[in-house]
């Protein structure tokens, strides 16, 4: 009688795997589930209309309190089913529903996926009826393979700013509105500095040595007096420059002409060339946005110019460095220390991943923006955009033409 979702009633969760209801207690249980838990996670099993009719005829013979509870449960179910279906992707830590801002969606029909699904076809099977999609930053790419399998999708609500994981023109072609959130440089800048400190002082290696019964197995260096090279002088790069100033480091900036000019106005040195930047920095940290112009912009030849025992920090995007470039440089015997928070393919569950097994490399699992206050900021704005959209007052829509375009999808 119970079966996987496969019809227009996919969202009608029966709330029980029992195949028969021989007494009133079962009726009461079903009513209770209907009233309080009916589709809390787009449940696993569903029931057809014919089966609902059969159950109703069986339950009508139940005692009066059980019948009342059942009716209330099904009325609540109907109300719940009338709401738009919302899916939140890639909640790795199972924390989104625990955020204070989740109260904004408290009465909505929400499904949260905790495991990342790389295959668009497999992902679509789990959210094919979704009307609103919430993206956790750039963890899932919105491709045509996915959009073509989601005929009900109306809105993508982005946490933070839109980046290259969303093809806005493609979304417009499929008449899917994209609501943009807001970003903050605070958490990524702090993570960058923490990773930098750990990399140059070699703290994780020392901690691991102590856990293995060893004492002072290495010696790191300080940041004071070093030349800190910052490639990309945007909001995050500017904060890193200020941190460096406090720590007594010399700042050297490379990037676009406008960013170098801004750095000079702020009192920091601009590099005369990329070659000078790589040859004269003791620590290099990357803070560029990934786009067609910056993809693979850091070459193997650039990294080979770095000083021996200097450090490279990348909390921006792995693809800023040409494919396999970092590994090739490390394998060549080049003596540099590396701190990375971003990878070509995420998430990484393989303990044998090459970067994890190189002693002078420190890896963190893309924690740049993963911080409680930042999550509250990102998701509150994403959820507000959803509520505004449902109330007929869409906000922060990056492709507003979709709001007035007739939907021709079947």
């Amino acid at each position: 009688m119970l079966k996987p979702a496969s019809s227009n009633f996919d969202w009608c969760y029966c709330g029980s795997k029992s195949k028969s209801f021989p007494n009133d207690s079962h009726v009461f249980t079903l009513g209770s589930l209907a009233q309080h838990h009916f589709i809390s996670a787009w449940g696993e099993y569903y029931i057809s209309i014919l089966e609902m009719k059969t159950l109703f005829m069986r339950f009508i013979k139940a005692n009066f309190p059980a019948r009342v509870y059942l009716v209330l449960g099904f009325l609540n179910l109907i109300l719940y089913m009338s709401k738009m279906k919302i899916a939140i992707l890639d909640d790795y830590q199972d924390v989104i529903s625990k955020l204070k801002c989740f109260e904004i969606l408290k009465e909505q029909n929400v499904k949260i996926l905790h495991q990342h699904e790389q295959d668009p076809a497999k992902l679509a099977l789990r959210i094919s009826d979704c009307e609103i999609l919430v993206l956790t930053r750039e963890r899932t790419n919105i491709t045509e393979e996915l959009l073509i399998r989601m005929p009900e999708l109306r809105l993508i609500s982005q946490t933070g700013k839109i980046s290259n994981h969303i093809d806005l023109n493609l979304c417009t072609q499929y008449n899917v509105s994209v609501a943009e959130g807001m970003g903050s440089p605070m958490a990524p800048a702090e993570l960058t500095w923490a990773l930098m400190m750990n990399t140059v002082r070699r703290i994780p290696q020392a901690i691991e040595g102590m856990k293995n019964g060893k004492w002072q197995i290495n010696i790191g260096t300080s940041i004071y007096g070093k030349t800190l090279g910052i490639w990309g002088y945007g909001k995050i790069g500017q904060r890193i420059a200020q941190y460096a100033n406090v720590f007594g480091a010399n700042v050297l900036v490379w990037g676009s002409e406008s960013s170098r000019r801004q750095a000079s106005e702020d009192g920091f040195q601009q590099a005369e060339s990329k070659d000078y930047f790589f040859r004269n920095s003791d620590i290099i940290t990357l803070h560029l946005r990934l786009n067609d112009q910056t993809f693979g912009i850091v070459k193997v030849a650039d990294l080979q110019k770095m000083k021996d025992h200097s450090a490279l920090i990348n909390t921006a995007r792995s693809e800023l460095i040409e494919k396999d470039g970092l590994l090739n440089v490390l394998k060549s015997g080049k003596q540099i220390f590396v701190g990375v928070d971003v990878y070509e393919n995420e998430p990484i569950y393989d303990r044998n991943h090459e970067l994890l097994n190189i002693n002078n490399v420190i890896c963190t699992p893309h924690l740049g923006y993963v911080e409680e206050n930042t999550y509250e900021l990102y998701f509150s704005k994403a959820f507000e955009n959803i509520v505004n959209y449902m109330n007929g007052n869409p906000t922060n829509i990056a492709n507003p033409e979709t709001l007035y375009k007739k939907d021709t999808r079947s």
Side-chain angles (χ1 to χ4, degrees):
M1 181 171 68
L2 298 169
K3 56 191 178 184
S6 60
S7 68
N8 292 332
F9 303 95
D10 286 354
W11 297 68
C12 180
Y13 179 38
C14 77
S16 172
K17 295 183 181 180
S18 174
K19 291 190 176 183
S20 60
F21 303 87
N23 54 51
D24 292 346
S25 65
H26 286 81
V27 178
F28 189 86
T29 299
L30 182 63
S32 177
L33 284 166
Q35 191 167 2
H36 297 294
H37 307 289
F38 230 109
I39 320 178
S40 61
W42 304 356
E44 297 177 2
Y45 294 95
Y46 305 80
I47 190 167
S48 70
I49 282 210
L50 178 61
E51 290 161 346
M52 288 174 68
K53 181 179 178 181
T54 302
L55 285 174
F56 181 77
M57 295 302 294
R58 192 176 296 176
F59 296 157
I60 202 71
K61 300 176 183 179
N63 62 37
F64 181 74
R67 269 185 265 165
V68 170
Y69 212 72
L70 178 65
V71 169
L72 288 174
F74 274 103
L75 287 174
N76 196 46
L77 170 62
I78 292 170
L79 177 63
Y80 194 88
M81 290 175 64
S82 68
K83 297 176 180 178
M84 297 188 79
K85 306 173 186 71
I86 303 169
I88 303 175
L89 302 186
D90 301 311
D91 178 19
Y92 299 149
Q93 309 105 312
D94 189 14
V95 295
I96 294 174
S97 64
K98 301 175 181 67
L99 296 173
K100 294 176 183 177
C101 65
F102 194 71
E103 287 291 308
I104 297 172
L105 297 184
K106 184 176 64 173
E107 301 300 326
Q108 303 304 324
N109 189 353
V110 180
K111 178 177 184 177
I112 301 177
L113 274 61
H114 304 295
Q115 297 296 321
H116 177 74
E117 179 52 68
Q118 194 75 29
D119 187 334
K122 291 180 181 178
L123 176 60
L125 285 175
R126 303 181 66 184
I127 56 171
S128 61
D129 278 3
C130 168
E131 295 165 281
I132 298 176
L133 196 60
V134 181
L135 300 184
T136 304
R137 292 299 292 123
E138 302 166 31
R139 294 175 182 176
T140 292
N141 290 322
I142 302 302
T143 64
E144 187 162 21
E145 286 183 89
L146 181 62
L147 291 174
I148 202 169
R149 290 175 168 86
M150 299 185 66
E152 304 302 322
L153 186 61
R154 297 293 175 266
L155 175 70
I156 294 173
S157 190
Q158 172 66 43
T159 52
K161 294 293 185 178
I162 294 172
S163 188
N164 61 314
H165 65 298
I166 295 180
D167 185 333
L168 203 58
N169 291 330
L170 187 63
C171 290
T172 301
Q173 177 185 328
Y174 279 85
N175 205 31
V176 175
S177 301
V178 180
E180 187 170 43
M182 63 187 301
S184 168
M186 305 297 289
E190 289 183 7
L191 188 280
T192 299
W193 198 258
L195 187 56
M196 187 185 303
M197 292 287 293
N198 276 272
T199 300
V200 300
R201 290 297 299 267
R202 308 188 68 189
I203 295 172
Q205 295 93 331
I207 293 172
E208 191 62 28
M210 197 172 177
K211 287 182 177 179
N212 292 325
K214 300 177 182 179
W215 187 258
Q216 293 191 2
I217 63 170
N218 59 12
I219 186 165
T221 62
S222 65
I223 289 178
Y224 177 82
K226 295 287 195 304
T227 295
L228 175 57
I230 302 173
W231 191 346
Y233 195 70
K235 291 181 179 179
I236 298 174
Q238 289 172 27
R239 296 197 73 83
I240 295 299
Q242 295 297 333
Y243 296 166
N245 201 32
V246 171
F247 274 73
N250 304 307
V251 174
L252 181 65
V253 174
W254 180 246
S256 66
E257 184 178 346
S258 60
S259 68
R260 282 180 279 147
R261 184 170 56 250
Q262 181 63 54
S264 291
E265 292 174 2
D266 291 344
F268 300 115
Q269 180 186 356
Q270 59 172 299
E272 59 191 47
S273 66
K274 185 172 73 167
D275 180 80
Y276 183 92
F277 176 80
F278 276 94
R279 290 187 186 278
N280 289 275
S281 298
D282 297 303
I283 304 167
I284 290 175
T285 180
L286 305 178
H287 298 290
L288 297 168
R289 294 196 69 172
L290 184 65
N291 52 43
D292 291 341
Q293 287 71 44
T294 61
F295 195 96
I297 196 170
V298 180
K299 308 299 182 184
V300 167
D302 298 324
L303 300 179
Q304 291 288 5
K305 294 173 184 176
M306 291 177 65
K307 297 179 180 180
D308 283 343
H309 308 297
S310 61
L312 174 70
I313 309 298
N314 188 5
T315 59
R317 291 294 178 270
S318 174
E319 295 85 353
L320 293 173
I321 303 174
E322 66 175 317
K323 188 172 178 60
D324 298 324
L326 180 57
L327 269 174
N328 290 336
V329 169
L330 291 168
K331 288 178 179 179
S332 74
K334 179 69 176 177
Q335 295 298 306
I336 59 173
F337 297 98
V338 178
V340 291
D341 187 51
V342 288
Y343 311 88
E344 290 180 10
N345 295 296
E346 299 180 15
I348 294 172
Y349 296 111
D350 181 9
R351 286 183 288 184
N352 295 316
H353 189 281
E354 288 186 276
L355 287 177
L356 296 176
N357 292 283
I358 301 176
N359 188 52
N360 55 324
V361 177
I362 295 174
C363 299
T364 51
H366 205 154
L367 297 176
Y369 63 91
V370 182
E371 177 270 331
E372 188 174 344
N373 293 325
T374 303
Y375 261 39
E376 290 284 1
L377 173 68
Y378 281 10
F379 282 99
S380 63
K381 180 55 66 176
F383 296 160
E384 287 169 8
N385 285 335
I386 288 172
V387 172
N388 291 340
Y389 179 87
M390 291 191 299
N391 290 338
N393 182 36
T395 51
N396 303 306
I397 302 299
N399 52 346
E401 59 270 33
T402 57
L403 300 173
Y404 312 104
K405 180 180 174 184
K406 183 178 179 181
D407 197 340
T408 58
R409 292 179 295 177
S410 57

